[in-house]
């Protein structure tokens, strides 16, 4: 799964990287501790590519309030095309969620939660596959991260991981490059990511600062 991540790339750099028009209400960066229900940066395609803010926590159209059901921050690749909450978005509203890296937790010998920071080995922005949907009368934009089974390296920490998209696949995932996005929902190659242990203070959603991603 993916339940927390960081983003340090400046807005103008993101807009240039994705060839997207930035909105005026984007979240402040850098942010080293992005949590569920926060607004996050999302790249999607309308008439043009857009870089917008969306609530991390997908809201199905039948939710009467944001807390009407489970908090849907992730969508499983294996069932996304079948689940009523996600299947329309999977066909019609796919997006890119840029990050610098994401956090995952393993269990220590005493059952304690041990945090790890995972980033690209080449230090390029790590782009996750997502889906989005407007919700309610006010059309609140919401999104979820698509996850898949972990590759062998990440499985040492957790059995799930976000779908990591290479730049050559961005257009196809966004629906700009024709059909056939399903094969992109696979684990990253074994040499794509690297990870290191970080301080347990990131276990708190109130923690902040660049020290959260420093190795310990």
């Amino acid at each position: 799964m993916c339940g927390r991540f960081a983003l340090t790339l400046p807005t103008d750099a993101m807009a240039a990287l994705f060839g997207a028009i930035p909105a005026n209400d984007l979240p402040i960066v850098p942010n080293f501790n992005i949590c569920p229900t926060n607004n996050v940066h999302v790249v999607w395609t309308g008439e043009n590519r857009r870089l917008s803010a969306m609530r991390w926590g997908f809201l199905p159209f039948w939710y009467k309030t944001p807390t009407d059901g489970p908090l849907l921050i992730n969508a499983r690749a294996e069932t996304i095309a079948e689940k009523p909450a996600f299947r329309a978005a999977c066909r019609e509203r796919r997006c890119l969620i840029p990050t610098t890296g994401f956090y995952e937790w393993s269990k220590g010998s005493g059952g304690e939660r041990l945090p790890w920071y995972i980033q690209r080995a080449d230090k390029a922005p790590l782009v996750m596959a997502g889906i989005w949907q407007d919700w309610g009368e006010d059309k609140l934009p919401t999104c979820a991260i698509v996850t898949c089974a972990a590759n062998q390296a990440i499985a040492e920490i957790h059995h799930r991981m976000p779908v990591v998209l290479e730049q050559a696949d961005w257009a196809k995932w966004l629906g700009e490059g024709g059909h056939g996005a399903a094969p992109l929902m696979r684990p990253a190659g074994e040499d794509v990511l690297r990870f290191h242990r970080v301080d347990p203070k990131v276990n708190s959603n109130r923690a902040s600062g660049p020290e959260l991603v420093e190795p310990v």
Side-chain angles (χ1 to χ4, degrees):
M1 64 177 294
C2 181
R4 210 86 68 78
F5 62 91
L7 179 61
T8 63
L9 200 63
T11 296
D12 56 351
M14 276 188 276
L17 175 65
F18 295 106
I21 300 170
N24 295 321
D25 60 346
L26 291 166
I28 294 173
V29 286
N31 187 341
F32 294 89
N33 195 5
I34 298 170
C35 304
T37 74
N38 288 171
N39 281 343
V40 299
H41 293 75
V42 172
V43 178
W44 60 283
T45 294
E47 293 181 1
N48 305 102
R49 278 193 191 177
R50 302 280 178 172
L51 177 62
S52 302
M54 295 190 185
R55 176 192 187 267
W56 182 20
F58 190 95
L59 295 175
F61 68 86
W62 61 81
Y63 278 25
K64 291 183 172 56
T65 71
T67 57
D68 242 12
L71 180 60
L72 304 176
I73 62 171
N74 293 158
R76 294 175 66 95
E78 297 87 345
T79 57
I80 193 172
E82 305 162 8
K83 292 287 187 181
F86 301 134
R87 60 191 177 199
C90 180
R91 290 193 304 268
E92 304 164 9
R93 294 183 299 278
R94 298 191 295 271
C95 61
L96 310 175
I97 301 177
T99 77
T100 307
F102 65 96
Y103 300 96
E104 195 51 83
W105 282 261
S106 61
K107 282 190 177 181
S109 57
E112 67 273 22
R113 298 178 75 227
L114 304 177
W116 300 77
Y117 184 63
I118 303 167
Q119 59 191 322
R120 289 189 62 103
D122 60 9
K123 297 186 178 180
L126 190 157
V127 178
M128 302 185 291
I131 56 173
W132 68 274
Q133 176 165 283
D134 287 338
W135 174 82
E137 293 182 0
D138 295 332
K139 296 189 178 299
L140 174 70
T142 71
C143 66
I145 294 167
V146 181
T147 67
C148 61
N151 62 22
Q152 187 174 349
I154 302 301
E156 296 179 17
I157 304 171
H158 197 274
H159 67 286
R160 304 288 298 176
M161 67 181 297
V163 171
V164 177
L165 297 172
E166 299 297 329
Q167 187 166 357
D169 296 323
W170 293 351
K172 181 170 284 189
W173 182 255
L174 289 172
E176 302 166 348
H179 300 289
L184 302 179
M185 293 189 287
R186 61 184 185 270
E190 298 296 334
D191 59 346
V192 172
L193 304 177
R194 68 177 186 182
F195 51 88
H196 58 261
R197 277 284 315 282
V198 292
D199 196 291
K201 64 184 176 183
V202 77
N203 293 355
S204 169
N205 59 13
R206 296 181 181 179
S208 63
E211 66 275 11
L212 296 182
V213 302
E214 293 298 321
V216 298

